[in-house]
Amino acid sequence: MPPKIEIPLARFAIGDVVRHRLFDFRGVIFDVDPEFSNSEEWYEAIPEDLRPPKDQPFYHLLAENSESAYIAYVSQQNLAHDDSDEPIDHPAIPTMFDRLEDGRYLLRPEHRQ
């Protein structure tokens, strides 16, 4: 019998508002990879003492900090739910999401599958 493949469960979903546990930024999730799916160069650029294991979900965020809006790619272990009820100020949000409701952004109908 082939070995059983363990697939880690995602703790967060598309539309969830999250914050980074180590760095001062927040974001809304717009995509989830079941495990690391970025370049090796990107991974190696993370300081070794902060480098997360690849065998966990990684999230694509429309992110913001006090200076700018950008796209972030973050491991599950480094995210926590953001309970501030403050909207995320990112210019791409209206293209993907309708509105913020009960702490979650709702996908626009054309992006639902």
Side-chain angles (χ1 to χ4, degrees):
M1 181 188 296
K4 182 178 177 189
I5 298 172
E6 293 292 329
I7 299 174
L9 293 176
R11 283 190 218 134
F12 308 104
I14 292 173
D16 283 354
V17 178
V18 293
R19 63 178 172 77
H20 198 283
R21 291 179 186 272
L22 305 175
F23 302 113
D24 189 23
F25 71 87
R26 308 165 57 235
V28 58
I29 295 169
F30 70 91
D31 197 11
V32 183
D33 293 333
E35 61 184 31
F36 180 80
S37 185
N38 207 332
S39 71
E40 198 58 33
E41 180 180 60
W42 184 93
Y43 188 74
E44 293 295 326
I46 301 169
E48 194 169 347
D49 59 330
L50 298 176
R51 204 174 291 155
K54 292 180 178 181
D55 63 344
Q56 63 181 309
F58 276 72
Y59 300 85
H60 300 261
L61 309 177
L62 298 176
E64 66 168 358
N65 61 26
S66 60
E67 291 141 27
S68 66
Y70 53 96
I71 297 204
Y73 189 64
V74 185
S75 65
Q76 179 161 277
Q77 75 182 40
N78 286 324
L79 291 177
H81 279 284
D82 181 273
D83 299 325
S84 69
D85 287 328
E86 294 290 319
I88 300 295
D89 184 21
H90 193 288
I93 286 179
T95 65
M96 288 187 193
F97 298 99
D98 267 341
R99 65 188 179 281
L100 181 61
E101 186 175 290
D102 297 326
R104 272 187 97 198
Y105 281 88
L106 302 177
L107 273 174
R108 294 177 61 85
E110 62 268 27
H111 297 302
R112 294 183 201 143
Q113 294 179 355

